[in-house]
Amino acid sequence: MTENIGVKLGAAPGSRGRTTIADVVVEKIAGMAARDVRGVYALGSGFARSMGSMRERMPGAGSGKSATRGISVEVGELQAAIDLEIVVDYGVSITDVAASVRENVISAVERMAGRDVVEVNITVSDVKLPDDEEDEGEERQRIQ
């Protein structure tokens, strides 16, 4: 006798089995999509970026973490919710940048991960001023 195990014989190979997508995968997709938007200077708060850059300089510590800095997700079997913390360039329309980030992230996650994105919450934690780069360079010299 043949036992029915819940799979129709002749079913499409793509429907046999289950695909699980880790949260970090969706975090990386969302991060790349957000960074592609003009006006996004960085992801994460200033403090998180500072600590991350120090951690990345230490041998064997924290490599790859910058790809998901400032991003948290909840991923289910069918849906995903995403929280982003961004720093925008001075002079851009924050509402336009946030709308573009939201659109890019939703499109990328739905296309690549096959999850319906139910929400993308964006926190703008800082604005990158034109003279900030000079200050950062001076601080780095003092720290070294």
Side-chain angles (χ1 to χ4, degrees):
M1 290 200 140
T2 315
E3 198 173 312
N4 184 357
I5 58 172
V7 176
K8 294 181 183 178
L9 293 177
S15 66
R16 298 180 199 170
R18 187 172 84 182
T19 302
T20 303
I21 298 175
D23 289 2
V24 70
V25 173
V26 175
E27 287 173 352
K28 287 180 178 183
I29 293 168
M32 292 301 294
R35 284 180 183 86
D36 283 345
V37 174
R38 185 181 175 139
V40 173
Y41 175 73
L43 271 69
S45 67
F47 179 74
R49 288 191 326 273
S50 297
M51 293 305 293
S53 67
M54 288 178 63
R55 192 178 323 115
E56 288 170 0
R57 287 186 214 141
M58 296 171 60
S63 62
K65 184 62 180 163
S66 65
T68 60
R69 186 178 304 128
I71 305 165
S72 64
V73 302
E74 292 180 35
V75 182
E77 287 192 32
L78 302 174
Q79 298 177 326
I82 301 164
D83 294 324
L84 298 169
E85 186 174 0
I86 65 172
V87 177
V88 297
D89 290 318
Y90 177 80
V92 300
S93 166
I94 293 172
T95 54
D96 289 349
V97 170
S100 294
V101 166
R102 194 170 278 112
E103 185 178 318
N104 241 26
V105 167
I106 290 170
S107 175
V109 170
E110 288 184 347
R111 180 177 49 83
M112 294 177 69
R115 300 299 187 265
D116 289 325
V117 178
V118 294
E119 65 182 9
V120 175
N121 300 309
I122 299 171
T123 300
V124 179
S125 63
D126 204 355
V127 174
K128 165 64 173 77
L129 301 175
D131 60 343
D132 281 353
E133 236 174 275
E134 296 167 12
D135 294 341
E136 286 177 12
E138 290 173 12
E139 187 176 318
R140 283 186 184 156
Q141 284 181 340
R142 192 176 72 223
I143 293 173
Q144 292 176 358

